[in-house]
Amino acid sequence: MSSDAVKKRKPKVVRNEAGTPETKRSRAEGDQEVRVYNEEVELEDRDPQQDYMLYKDTCADLAKLMAEIQELKSSGAKVGSVEIEERHRQCSVHFITLKKLNRLAHMRLKKGRDQTHEAKQRVDVLHLQLQNLLYEVMHLQKEISKCLEFKSQHEEIELVSEEEFFQEAPAEISRPHVTRDDNHQLTLARLDWELEQRKRLAEQYKMSLARKEKIQKAIEQKREYLSSLQPGLQNIMQASLPVQEYLSMPFEQMQKQAEVARHLPPPLYVLLVQAAAYGQACDKTLSVNISGDVDEAKALSRRPEDSQEDESDSDAEEEQQNTKRRRATVGVQLEDKRKAMLRRHPLSLCVDLKCKDGSVLHLFFYYLMNLNILTVKTKVSTATDLSGAVSAGELLNSESLLNCLYASDHGKETPNPANRYQFDKVGITTFADYVSDLGHPYVWVQKLGGLQFSSDGAQSELRGSALSASHMEKTMKLLRGRLQARLALHKQFSSLEHSIIPVSSECQHLFPAKVVSGLTRWTMMSYQEFTELGFVQHVLKAGLVCETDLFFMAVVERGTARLLAAVVLNPRYPEVMPLFSLSLHWKGERSGRTEDNLRAMESEVNVFRAELQGPRPGLQLLTNQIQRLCVCLDVYLETESQVCDGSEGPREFPREKMCLRTARGPSRLKPFKYNHPQGFFSHR
């Protein structure tokens, strides 16, 4: 820009209150020319691309002038020289241009935002209108569906088809010339014909009743004749008892049991029939017997549920009214009501499951009449004495023997949701307080009796005998498997308490011939003691442990190394694998959370079930896990450096295992996998 253009005088511009710039007016306002300058008007005529190019050129000129001023100053020119002042003025003009471009950019931005806001408002208005229309459409659809779903009372009556109606109905009722073209008249005519038919059937019903009475009289006469034959038949049966015993066909005993079974409540009767049928078809060693007071069962009167509820309500009101007068007897009355509510049926069932080794599992099933649930108690009879192992005390405990026969079925609370309201009336907080006396109300027990409640996780359409038959075979197999598993664990615990790990001949190939590390201690511990261990907190946080599990502590030692293993034994063993948590005391304390090799040892005993379970059903799983733990400790100690400070000396644990590589990877994992029959250890 030339210096002449800078020197040229420009009219001064002022801005009014509305922001519109205008020229400054002198006293003689009428004599001077007034010019108005509006940047918004100018903005509409300007091209943003040209303004951007002007901005770049101005910045380049400004940088060039600054460089010239710097060059002049470096060449010795004075600050107030003409050349420097001229360039200062040019720079000021460029700065004014930049300020104007900045204002124009801000105005363009504001204008774009305003346009965007207006467009959004239009879109919001259209969206609101669309939502209103959709709501109106939905409302109309609901009204249409209500109209279409309207049902008249005559629709519930099953009428004959139109073809059958026109064929059978007389002409004075059918009136084909009217009803074929009018659906309303057709419906009325069909209803009239239905009324005529029902009147005719009512007459036939009366005639059938009269004929039924005649037949009943004939039946009574024949029944009297047959009853006269009973004494003679009893004499014949009594004389045939020696023959029945010789042929193992106890017809007399079966007849007596059938007579007693008539007085069983429906759930116990269903269980009796299905268990006897299963024993006859699949398990000849299974036996079912009825025990209890038969006379009391005969005298037991069945009350309607409504009368029981009314009686309980009236008793509660009477108790509230007379509380002040009979304060000393309120607790006694409440206890009597609890006993009446928890009352058993006089008859019960005893199911005996026999195993090949001579052990017997006795199952005693009871029915709580007012609660409408079945409970079970257990007892184990063995051919040999099993009192040697201290840590096996809970294995055959009747209170925990059948825990979690099916997953999450602890048998502590009643599965009938209606019992909760019954308990509130008599002040019972939880059914678990009465389990030791009444038995466990497992869900599978209810299904064996044909009972199913809405609180069950998986609802089935089967009821009664069909429901019992669908669960009988699987449940009996689980019960026999549970008894065999607990007896096998009892024998194994006896050996483990004497520091002997019993490994069967079928599983010898899973381990090397020589294992130096040995089990020194095997003890049982409580859930509280287990939770206080520091190296099992990750297992607790993961939710892998329940209070119904069994907890043990195994100590494996070799030299100065001492390995602690906290074992969690699930009640469903061996279906659910035992869980090991390790802590090594050797040159400090290490655990699976701080040492990668200990974590690898935990995975060796916790993960590879297919390698450790042995022959089915896998009753050697626990002892195989402990034996593998000893093998892994040998590999760890033999491959770990024994002298940490680098000094020479004899090793505490000489190398006896053959390993392809002693360590691998950044974590320096040890080779814990044993390869048979080669006899070396490798990494997985």
Side-chain angles (χ1 to χ4, degrees), residues 184-236:
H184 177 64
Q185 293 297 330
L186 176 61
T187 303
L188 294 177
R190 293 173 69 187
L191 290 173
D192 292 338
W193 175 240
E194 183 70 20
L195 179 60
E196 292 293 333
Q197 284 184 320
R198 294 196 178 193
K199 289 180 180 180
R200 178 172 51 83
L201 293 175
E203 293 295 332
Q204 294 179 0
Y205 175 70
K206 292 180 181 179
M207 296 172 62
S208 299
L209 286 179
R211 190 164 54 253
K212 176 184 176 183
E213 292 178 358
K214 294 181 181 179
I215 296 174
Q216 284 181 344
K217 290 181 181 179
I219 292 174
E220 289 294 334
Q221 294 176 357
K222 294 179 180 179
R223 185 174 295 169
E224 292 177 359
Y225 172 73
L226 293 175
S227 61
S228 62
L229 299 176
Q230 186 174 2
L233 294 176
Q234 289 180 351
N235 295 332
I236 296 174

Short mmCIF file of all heavy atoms in Angstrom, two decimals, residues 184-236:
data_model
loop_
_atom_site.label_atom_id
_atom_site.label_comp_id
_atom_site.label_asym_id
_atom_site.label_seq_id
_atom_site.Cartn_x
_atom_site.Cartn_y
_atom_site.Cartn_z
N HIS A 184 -76.54 -62.10 11.67
CA HIS A 184 -77.15 -61.91 12.98
C HIS A 184 -78.30 -62.89 13.19
O HIS A 184 -78.39 -63.56 14.24
CB HIS A 184 -77.63 -60.46 13.12
CG HIS A 184 -78.33 -60.19 14.42
ND1 HIS A 184 -77.70 -60.28 15.64
CD2 HIS A 184 -79.63 -59.84 14.68
CE1 HIS A 184 -78.55 -60.00 16.61
NE2 HIS A 184 -79.73 -59.73 16.05
N GLN A 185 -79.18 -63.01 12.21
CA GLN A 185 -80.29 -63.96 12.31
C GLN A 185 -79.79 -65.40 12.35
O GLN A 185 -80.36 -66.26 13.03
CB GLN A 185 -81.24 -63.76 11.12
CG GLN A 185 -81.97 -62.42 11.11
CD GLN A 185 -82.89 -62.26 12.32
OE1 GLN A 185 -83.42 -63.25 12.83
NE2 GLN A 185 -83.08 -61.02 12.75
N LEU A 186 -78.65 -65.65 11.64
CA LEU A 186 -78.07 -66.99 11.66
C LEU A 186 -77.58 -67.35 13.07
O LEU A 186 -77.81 -68.45 13.56
CB LEU A 186 -76.91 -67.07 10.66
CG LEU A 186 -76.12 -68.39 10.64
CD1 LEU A 186 -77.03 -69.55 10.27
CD2 LEU A 186 -74.94 -68.28 9.67
N THR A 187 -76.94 -66.39 13.74
CA THR A 187 -76.46 -66.64 15.11
C THR A 187 -77.62 -66.89 16.06
O THR A 187 -77.57 -67.79 16.91
CB THR A 187 -75.61 -65.45 15.58
OG1 THR A 187 -74.53 -65.25 14.67
CG2 THR A 187 -75.04 -65.72 16.97
N LEU A 188 -78.69 -66.09 15.93
CA LEU A 188 -79.86 -66.29 16.80
C LEU A 188 -80.49 -67.66 16.56
O LEU A 188 -80.89 -68.36 17.51
CB LEU A 188 -80.88 -65.18 16.55
CG LEU A 188 -80.46 -63.76 16.96
CD1 LEU A 188 -81.55 -62.76 16.59
CD2 LEU A 188 -80.16 -63.70 18.45
N ALA A 189 -80.56 -68.07 15.30
CA ALA A 189 -81.15 -69.37 15.00
C ALA A 189 -80.28 -70.51 15.54
O ALA A 189 -80.80 -71.50 16.08
CB ALA A 189 -81.32 -69.51 13.48
N ARG A 190 -78.98 -70.38 15.45
CA ARG A 190 -78.09 -71.41 15.98
C ARG A 190 -78.21 -71.51 17.50
O ARG A 190 -78.15 -72.59 18.08
CB ARG A 190 -76.65 -71.12 15.57
CG ARG A 190 -76.40 -71.26 14.07
CD ARG A 190 -75.00 -70.80 13.69
NE ARG A 190 -74.01 -71.73 14.23
CZ ARG A 190 -72.70 -71.50 14.18
NH1 ARG A 190 -72.25 -70.37 13.61
NH2 ARG A 190 -71.86 -72.36 14.67
N LEU A 191 -78.35 -70.34 18.17
CA LEU A 191 -78.54 -70.36 19.63
C LEU A 191 -79.86 -71.04 20.01
O LEU A 191 -79.93 -71.79 21.00
CB LEU A 191 -78.49 -68.93 20.18
CG LEU A 191 -77.11 -68.25 20.15
CD1 LEU A 191 -77.23 -66.79 20.56
CD2 LEU A 191 -76.14 -68.97 21.08
N ASP A 192 -80.93 -70.80 19.23
CA ASP A 192 -82.21 -71.48 19.50
C ASP A 192 -82.08 -72.98 19.35
O ASP A 192 -82.63 -73.76 20.15
CB ASP A 192 -83.29 -70.94 18.55
CG ASP A 192 -83.64 -69.48 18.84
OD1 ASP A 192 -83.37 -69.05 19.99
OD2 ASP A 192 -84.13 -68.78 17.94
N TRP A 193 -81.34 -73.39 18.31
CA TRP A 193 -81.14 -74.82 18.09
C TRP A 193 -80.29 -75.44 19.22
O TRP A 193 -80.55 -76.56 19.65
CB TRP A 193 -80.48 -75.02 16.73
CG TRP A 193 -80.11 -76.45 16.44
CD1 TRP A 193 -78.87 -76.93 16.19
CD2 TRP A 193 -80.99 -77.57 16.39
NE1 TRP A 193 -78.90 -78.27 15.96
CE2 TRP A 193 -80.21 -78.70 16.08
CE3 TRP A 193 -82.37 -77.72 16.54
CZ2 TRP A 193 -80.74 -79.97 15.94
CZ3 TRP A 193 -82.90 -78.99 16.40
CH2 TRP A 193 -82.11 -80.10 16.12
N GLU A 194 -79.32 -74.69 19.72
CA GLU A 194 -78.51 -75.18 20.84
C GLU A 194 -79.38 -75.36 22.08
O GLU A 194 -79.22 -76.32 22.84
CB GLU A 194 -77.37 -74.18 21.12
CG GLU A 194 -76.41 -74.59 22.21
CD GLU A 194 -75.54 -75.76 21.82
OE1 GLU A 194 -75.39 -76.01 20.60
OE2 GLU A 194 -75.01 -76.44 22.73
N LEU A 195 -80.32 -74.43 22.31
CA LEU A 195 -81.22 -74.54 23.46
C LEU A 195 -82.10 -75.79 23.34
O LEU A 195 -82.29 -76.53 24.32
CB LEU A 195 -82.09 -73.28 23.56
CG LEU A 195 -83.11 -73.26 24.70
CD1 LEU A 195 -82.41 -73.38 26.06
CD2 LEU A 195 -83.95 -71.98 24.64
N GLU A 196 -82.61 -76.05 22.16
CA GLU A 196 -83.44 -77.24 21.96
C GLU A 196 -82.64 -78.53 22.21
O GLU A 196 -83.13 -79.47 22.83
CB GLU A 196 -84.01 -77.24 20.53
CG GLU A 196 -85.02 -76.13 20.25
CD GLU A 196 -86.30 -76.33 21.06
OE1 GLU A 196 -86.61 -77.50 21.40
OE2 GLU A 196 -86.96 -75.33 21.37
N GLN A 197 -81.40 -78.53 21.72
CA GLN A 197 -80.58 -79.72 21.91
C GLN A 197 -80.27 -79.96 23.39
O GLN A 197 -80.29 -81.09 23.87
CB GLN A 197 -79.26 -79.58 21.13
CG GLN A 197 -79.42 -79.81 19.63
CD GLN A 197 -78.07 -79.76 18.92
OE1 GLN A 197 -77.24 -78.94 19.26
NE2 GLN A 197 -77.88 -80.63 17.95
N ARG A 198 -80.00 -78.88 24.12
CA ARG A 198 -79.68 -79.05 25.54
C ARG A 198 -80.89 -79.54 26.33
O ARG A 198 -80.74 -80.30 27.30
CB ARG A 198 -79.14 -77.73 26.10
CG ARG A 198 -77.80 -77.32 25.49
CD ARG A 198 -77.11 -76.27 26.29
NE ARG A 198 -75.81 -75.93 25.70
CZ ARG A 198 -74.88 -75.21 26.32
NH1 ARG A 198 -75.13 -74.74 27.53
NH2 ARG A 198 -73.74 -74.95 25.73
N LYS A 199 -82.06 -79.08 25.97
CA LYS A 199 -83.26 -79.60 26.63
C LYS A 199 -83.41 -81.10 26.38
O LYS A 199 -83.73 -81.87 27.30
CB LYS A 199 -84.50 -78.86 26.11
CG LYS A 199 -84.60 -77.41 26.59
CD LYS A 199 -85.85 -76.76 26.04
CE LYS A 199 -85.98 -75.30 26.52
NZ LYS A 199 -87.20 -74.66 25.97
N ARG A 200 -83.12 -81.52 25.17
CA ARG A 200 -83.23 -82.94 24.85
C ARG A 200 -82.18 -83.75 25.61
O ARG A 200 -82.46 -84.84 26.13
CB ARG A 200 -83.07 -83.13 23.34
CG ARG A 200 -83.12 -84.57 22.87
CD ARG A 200 -83.15 -84.64 21.36
NE ARG A 200 -82.10 -83.84 20.74
CZ ARG A 200 -80.84 -84.27 20.58
NH1 ARG A 200 -80.50 -85.48 20.99
NH2 ARG A 200 -79.96 -83.49 19.99
N LEU A 201 -80.96 -83.20 25.71
CA LEU A 201 -79.91 -83.91 26.43
C LEU A 201 -80.19 -83.98 27.93
O LEU A 201 -79.81 -84.94 28.60
CB LEU A 201 -78.55 -83.23 26.19
CG LEU A 201 -78.00 -83.31 24.76
CD1 LEU A 201 -76.72 -82.49 24.64
CD2 LEU A 201 -77.74 -84.76 24.37
N ALA A 202 -80.87 -82.95 28.45
CA ALA A 202 -81.25 -82.99 29.86
C ALA A 202 -82.21 -84.13 30.13
O ALA A 202 -82.11 -84.82 31.18
CB ALA A 202 -81.85 -81.65 30.28
N GLU A 203 -83.14 -84.35 29.24
CA GLU A 203 -84.06 -85.47 29.40
C GLU A 203 -83.30 -86.81 29.35
O GLU A 203 -83.56 -87.72 30.13
CB GLU A 203 -85.12 -85.43 28.30
CG GLU A 203 -86.08 -84.25 28.39
CD GLU A 203 -86.94 -84.32 29.65
OE1 GLU A 203 -87.20 -85.45 30.12
OE2 GLU A 203 -87.35 -83.25 30.14
N GLN A 204 -82.35 -86.90 28.43
CA GLN A 204 -81.55 -88.12 28.35
C GLN A 204 -80.72 -88.33 29.62
O GLN A 204 -80.52 -89.46 30.07
CB GLN A 204 -80.62 -88.07 27.13
CG GLN A 204 -81.35 -88.08 25.80
CD GLN A 204 -80.39 -88.00 24.62
OE1 GLN A 204 -79.18 -87.94 24.80
NE2 GLN A 204 -80.94 -87.99 23.41
N TYR A 205 -80.26 -87.24 30.21
CA TYR A 205 -79.47 -87.33 31.44
C TYR A 205 -80.32 -87.91 32.58
O TYR A 205 -79.85 -88.74 33.37
CB TYR A 205 -78.93 -85.95 31.80
CG TYR A 205 -78.22 -85.88 33.12
CD1 TYR A 205 -76.97 -86.50 33.30
CD2 TYR A 205 -78.79 -85.22 34.20
CE1 TYR A 205 -76.32 -86.44 34.51
CE2 TYR A 205 -78.14 -85.17 35.42
CZ TYR A 205 -76.92 -85.78 35.58
OH TYR A 205 -76.27 -85.74 36.78
N LYS A 206 -81.58 -87.46 32.67
CA LYS A 206 -82.47 -87.99 33.71
C LYS A 206 -82.70 -89.49 33.51
O LYS A 206 -82.69 -90.27 34.48
CB LYS A 206 -83.79 -87.24 33.69
CG LYS A 206 -83.69 -85.78 34.13
CD LYS A 206 -85.05 -85.10 34.08
CE LYS A 206 -84.93 -83.62 34.50
NZ LYS A 206 -86.25 -82.93 34.43
N MET A 207 -82.87 -89.89 32.27
CA MET A 207 -83.07 -91.31 32.01
C MET A 207 -81.80 -92.11 32.35
O MET A 207 -81.89 -93.23 32.89
CB MET A 207 -83.44 -91.51 30.54
CG MET A 207 -84.78 -90.88 30.15
SD MET A 207 -85.09 -90.93 28.37
CE MET A 207 -85.11 -92.71 28.11
N SER A 208 -80.65 -91.52 32.09
CA SER A 208 -79.40 -92.21 32.40
C SER A 208 -79.22 -92.36 33.91
O SER A 208 -78.70 -93.39 34.38
CB SER A 208 -78.21 -91.45 31.81
OG SER A 208 -78.31 -91.37 30.40
N LEU A 209 -79.63 -91.35 34.67
CA LEU A 209 -79.53 -91.45 36.12
C LEU A 209 -80.41 -92.59 36.65
O LEU A 209 -80.00 -93.33 37.56
CB LEU A 209 -79.94 -90.13 36.77
CG LEU A 209 -78.93 -88.97 36.68
CD1 LEU A 209 -79.50 -87.73 37.34
CD2 LEU A 209 -77.61 -89.35 37.33
N ALA A 210 -81.60 -92.71 36.12
CA ALA A 210 -82.47 -93.80 36.56
C ALA A 210 -81.86 -95.16 36.24
O ALA A 210 -81.89 -96.09 37.07
CB ALA A 210 -83.84 -93.65 35.90
N ARG A 211 -81.26 -95.26 35.05
CA ARG A 211 -80.62 -96.52 34.68
C ARG A 211 -79.39 -96.79 35.56
O ARG A 211 -79.09 -97.94 35.90
CB ARG A 211 -80.23 -96.47 33.21
CG ARG A 211 -79.77 -97.81 32.66
CD ARG A 211 -79.75 -97.84 31.15
NE ARG A 211 -78.99 -96.76 30.57
CZ ARG A 211 -79.52 -95.70 29.95
NH1 ARG A 211 -80.84 -95.56 29.85
NH2 ARG A 211 -78.75 -94.75 29.45
N LYS A 212 -78.70 -95.71 35.96
CA LYS A 212 -77.52 -95.86 36.82
C LYS A 212 -77.92 -96.41 38.19
O LYS A 212 -77.21 -97.25 38.77
CB LYS A 212 -76.83 -94.50 36.97
CG LYS A 212 -75.65 -94.50 37.92
CD LYS A 212 -75.08 -93.11 38.07
CE LYS A 212 -73.96 -93.09 39.10
NZ LYS A 212 -73.44 -91.73 39.31
N GLU A 213 -79.02 -95.93 38.74
CA GLU A 213 -79.48 -96.43 40.04
C GLU A 213 -79.77 -97.93 39.98
O GLU A 213 -79.46 -98.68 40.92
CB GLU A 213 -80.71 -95.66 40.48
CG GLU A 213 -80.41 -94.19 40.82
CD GLU A 213 -81.66 -93.43 41.21
OE1 GLU A 213 -82.75 -94.05 41.18
OE2 GLU A 213 -81.55 -92.23 41.54
N LYS A 214 -80.39 -98.37 38.90
CA LYS A 214 -80.66 -99.80 38.76
C LYS A 214 -79.37 -100.61 38.74
O LYS A 214 -79.26 -101.67 39.36
CB LYS A 214 -81.46 -100.06 37.50
CG LYS A 214 -82.88 -99.46 37.51
CD LYS A 214 -83.60 -99.78 36.22
CE LYS A 214 -85.01 -99.17 36.22
NZ LYS A 214 -85.73 -99.47 34.94
N ILE A 215 -78.37 -100.11 38.00
CA ILE A 215 -77.09 -100.82 37.91
C ILE A 215 -76.39 -100.85 39.26
O ILE A 215 -75.77 -101.86 39.64
CB ILE A 215 -76.21 -100.17 36.83
CG1 ILE A 215 -76.87 -100.31 35.45
CG2 ILE A 215 -74.82 -100.78 36.82
CD1 ILE A 215 -76.15 -99.58 34.35
N GLN A 216 -76.48 -99.74 40.03
CA GLN A 216 -75.84 -99.71 41.34
C GLN A 216 -76.45 -100.73 42.28
O GLN A 216 -75.75 -101.36 43.08
CB GLN A 216 -75.96 -98.30 41.94
CG GLN A 216 -75.00 -97.29 41.34
CD GLN A 216 -75.12 -95.93 41.98
OE1 GLN A 216 -76.12 -95.65 42.67
NE2 GLN A 216 -74.15 -95.07 41.74
N LYS A 217 -77.73 -100.88 42.21
CA LYS A 217 -78.37 -101.90 43.05
C LYS A 217 -77.86 -103.29 42.71
O LYS A 217 -77.59 -104.12 43.60
CB LYS A 217 -79.88 -101.84 42.88
CG LYS A 217 -80.51 -100.58 43.48
CD LYS A 217 -82.03 -100.59 43.28
CE LYS A 217 -82.66 -99.32 43.87
NZ LYS A 217 -84.13 -99.29 43.68
N ALA A 218 -77.71 -103.56 41.42
CA ALA A 218 -77.18 -104.86 41.01
C ALA A 218 -75.74 -105.05 41.49
O ALA A 218 -75.33 -106.15 41.91
CB ALA A 218 -77.25 -105.00 39.50
N ILE A 219 -74.96 -103.97 41.45
CA ILE A 219 -73.57 -104.05 41.91
C ILE A 219 -73.52 -104.34 43.41
O ILE A 219 -72.68 -105.12 43.89
CB ILE A 219 -72.82 -102.74 41.57
CG1 ILE A 219 -72.64 -102.62 40.05
CG2 ILE A 219 -71.48 -102.67 42.27
CD1 ILE A 219 -72.04 -101.31 39.61
N GLU A 220 -74.39 -103.70 44.19
CA GLU A 220 -74.41 -103.94 45.63
C GLU A 220 -74.72 -105.41 45.94
O GLU A 220 -74.13 -106.01 46.85
CB GLU A 220 -75.45 -103.04 46.29
CG GLU A 220 -75.06 -101.56 46.32
CD GLU A 220 -73.85 -101.31 47.19
OE1 GLU A 220 -73.60 -102.10 48.12
OE2 GLU A 220 -73.12 -100.34 46.92
N GLN A 221 -75.64 -105.96 45.20
CA GLN A 221 -75.96 -107.37 45.42
C GLN A 221 -74.76 -108.26 45.14
O GLN A 221 -74.46 -109.19 45.90
CB GLN A 221 -77.14 -107.77 44.55
CG GLN A 221 -78.46 -107.08 44.92
CD GLN A 221 -79.59 -107.43 43.97
OE1 GLN A 221 -79.38 -108.16 42.99
NE2 GLN A 221 -80.78 -106.91 44.25
N LYS A 222 -74.05 -107.99 44.05
CA LYS A 222 -72.87 -108.78 43.72
C LYS A 222 -71.74 -108.54 44.72
O LYS A 222 -70.97 -109.47 45.03
CB LYS A 222 -72.40 -108.45 42.31
CG LYS A 222 -73.38 -108.86 41.23
CD LYS A 222 -72.87 -108.49 39.85
CE LYS A 222 -73.88 -108.90 38.76
NZ LYS A 222 -73.40 -108.53 37.41
N ARG A 223 -71.63 -107.33 45.24
CA ARG A 223 -70.59 -107.03 46.22
C ARG A 223 -70.82 -107.80 47.52
O ARG A 223 -69.86 -108.28 48.14
CB ARG A 223 -70.56 -105.52 46.49
CG ARG A 223 -69.43 -105.06 47.40
CD ARG A 223 -69.40 -103.56 47.48
NE ARG A 223 -69.07 -102.98 46.17
CZ ARG A 223 -69.19 -101.68 45.89
NH1 ARG A 223 -69.69 -100.85 46.80
NH2 ARG A 223 -68.84 -101.23 44.70
N GLU A 224 -72.09 -107.89 47.93
CA GLU A 224 -72.39 -108.67 49.12
C GLU A 224 -72.01 -110.14 48.92
O GLU A 224 -71.52 -110.80 49.83
CB GLU A 224 -73.88 -108.55 49.46
CG GLU A 224 -74.28 -107.16 49.93
CD GLU A 224 -75.76 -107.05 50.18
OE1 GLU A 224 -76.46 -108.07 49.95
OE2 GLU A 224 -76.24 -105.96 50.58
N TYR A 225 -72.23 -110.62 47.72
CA TYR A 225 -71.87 -112.01 47.43
C TYR A 225 -70.35 -112.20 47.48
O TYR A 225 -69.85 -113.20 48.03
CB TYR A 225 -72.42 -112.41 46.06
CG TYR A 225 -71.93 -113.75 45.59
CD1 TYR A 225 -72.42 -114.93 46.16
CD2 TYR A 225 -70.99 -113.83 44.57
CE1 TYR A 225 -71.96 -116.17 45.73
CE2 TYR A 225 -70.53 -115.06 44.13
CZ TYR A 225 -71.02 -116.23 44.72
OH TYR A 225 -70.56 -117.46 44.29
N LEU A 226 -69.63 -111.23 46.92
CA LEU A 226 -68.17 -111.35 46.92
C LEU A 226 -67.59 -111.21 48.32
O LEU A 226 -66.59 -111.85 48.66
CB LEU A 226 -67.56 -110.29 45.99
CG LEU A 226 -67.85 -110.44 44.50
CD1 LEU A 226 -67.28 -109.26 43.72
CD2 LEU A 226 -67.26 -111.75 43.97
N SER A 227 -68.19 -110.34 49.16
CA SER A 227 -67.70 -110.18 50.52
C SER A 227 -67.86 -111.46 51.33
O SER A 227 -67.08 -111.72 52.28
CB SER A 227 -68.41 -109.03 51.21
OG SER A 227 -69.80 -109.28 51.29
N SER A 228 -68.84 -112.25 50.99
CA SER A 228 -69.01 -113.53 51.70
C SER A 228 -67.89 -114.51 51.38
O SER A 228 -67.67 -115.49 52.11
CB SER A 228 -70.38 -114.15 51.35
OG SER A 228 -70.44 -114.43 49.96
N LEU A 229 -67.17 -114.27 50.27
CA LEU A 229 -66.06 -115.14 49.90
C LEU A 229 -64.75 -114.78 50.59
O LEU A 229 -63.78 -115.54 50.51
CB LEU A 229 -65.84 -115.09 48.38
CG LEU A 229 -67.00 -115.56 47.49
CD1 LEU A 229 -66.64 -115.36 46.03
CD2 LEU A 229 -67.34 -117.02 47.76
N GLN A 230 -64.69 -113.60 51.25
CA GLN A 230 -63.43 -113.11 51.81
C GLN A 230 -62.84 -114.04 52.88
O GLN A 230 -61.64 -114.30 52.87
CB GLN A 230 -63.63 -111.71 52.39
CG GLN A 230 -62.33 -111.08 52.88
CD GLN A 230 -62.53 -109.64 53.31
OE1 GLN A 230 -63.65 -109.14 53.27
NE2 GLN A 230 -61.45 -108.99 53.72
N PRO A 231 -63.63 -114.55 53.84
CA PRO A 231 -63.03 -115.45 54.83
C PRO A 231 -62.35 -116.67 54.20
O PRO A 231 -61.24 -117.06 54.62
CB PRO A 231 -64.22 -115.85 55.71
CG PRO A 231 -65.18 -114.74 55.55
CD PRO A 231 -65.05 -114.29 54.13
N GLY A 232 -62.99 -117.25 53.21
CA GLY A 232 -62.38 -118.40 52.56
C GLY A 232 -61.09 -118.04 51.85
O GLY A 232 -60.10 -118.78 51.90
N LEU A 233 -61.04 -116.87 51.20
CA LEU A 233 -59.82 -116.46 50.50
C LEU A 233 -58.69 -116.17 51.49
O LEU A 233 -57.52 -116.46 51.20
CB LEU A 233 -60.11 -115.21 49.66
CG LEU A 233 -61.07 -115.42 48.47
CD1 LEU A 233 -61.35 -114.09 47.79
CD2 LEU A 233 -60.49 -116.42 47.48
N GLN A 234 -59.02 -115.60 52.65
CA GLN A 234 -57.98 -115.33 53.64
C GLN A 234 -57.36 -116.63 54.14
O GLN A 234 -56.15 -116.70 54.38
CB GLN A 234 -58.57 -114.54 54.80
CG GLN A 234 -58.90 -113.09 54.44
CD GLN A 234 -59.48 -112.32 55.62
OE1 GLN A 234 -59.79 -112.92 56.65
NE2 GLN A 234 -59.63 -111.01 55.45
N ASN A 235 -58.19 -117.63 54.33
CA ASN A 235 -57.64 -118.92 54.75
C ASN A 235 -56.70 -119.49 53.70
O ASN A 235 -55.65 -120.07 54.02
CB ASN A 235 -58.79 -119.90 55.03
CG ASN A 235 -59.64 -119.46 56.22
OD1 ASN A 235 -59.15 -118.79 57.12
ND2 ASN A 235 -60.91 -119.85 56.22
N ILE A 236 -57.08 -119.33 52.44
CA ILE A 236 -56.21 -119.82 51.36
C ILE A 236 -54.88 -119.06 51.34
O ILE A 236 -53.80 -119.65 51.19
CB ILE A 236 -56.95 -119.70 50.01
CG1 ILE A 236 -58.18 -120.61 49.99
CG2 ILE A 236 -56.01 -120.04 48.86
CD1 ILE A 236 -59.05 -120.45 48.76
#
